[in-house]
């Protein structure tokens, strides 16, 4: 049984958005100065990375389950 193409497309889109968010946050972190800004940005990066990791794992499980 093949993976649902619509679900895969949604996951791929969400993954792309999170990767773009991470790229922007890293760029912002490089431009910020001050401990408060750095801490806030680090928290946002960690949150986005956790979401990305979760979606990537979900996508992998979906593909494995449908082989």
């Amino acid at each position: 049984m093949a993976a649902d193409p619509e679900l895969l497309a949604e996951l791929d889109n969400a993954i792309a958005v999170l990767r773009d968010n991470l790229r922007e946050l890293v760029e912002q972190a490089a431009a910020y100065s001050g401990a408060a800004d750095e801490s806030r940005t680090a928290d946002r990066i960690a949150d986005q990375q956790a979401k990305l990791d979760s979606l990537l794992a979900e996508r992998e499980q979906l593909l494995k389950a449908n082989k």
Side-chain angles (χ1 to χ4, degrees), residues 22-33 37-38 41-42 45:
L22 280 166
R23 181 191 53 77
E24 289 179 22
L25 287 169
V26 169
E27 288 175 4
Q28 288 175 6
Y32 285 155
S33 63
D37 288 335
E38 290 173 10
T41 302
I45 289 171

Side-chain angles (χ1 to χ4, degrees), residues 9-56:
E10 289 175 20
L11 283 171
D12 287 340
N13 185 51
I15 288 167
V17 168
L18 284 168
R19 284 183 172 152
D20 190 50
N21 287 350
L22 280 166
R23 181 191 53 77
E24 289 179 22
L25 287 169
V26 169
E27 288 175 4
Q28 288 175 6
Y32 285 155
S33 63
D37 288 335
E38 290 173 10
S39 177
R40 191 175 16 226
T41 302
D43 289 345
R44 291 177 63 199
I45 289 171
D47 177 61
Q48 293 292 296
Q49 185 64 55
K51 289 177 182 176
L52 176 58
D53 293 344
S54 176
L55 287 177
L56 289 171

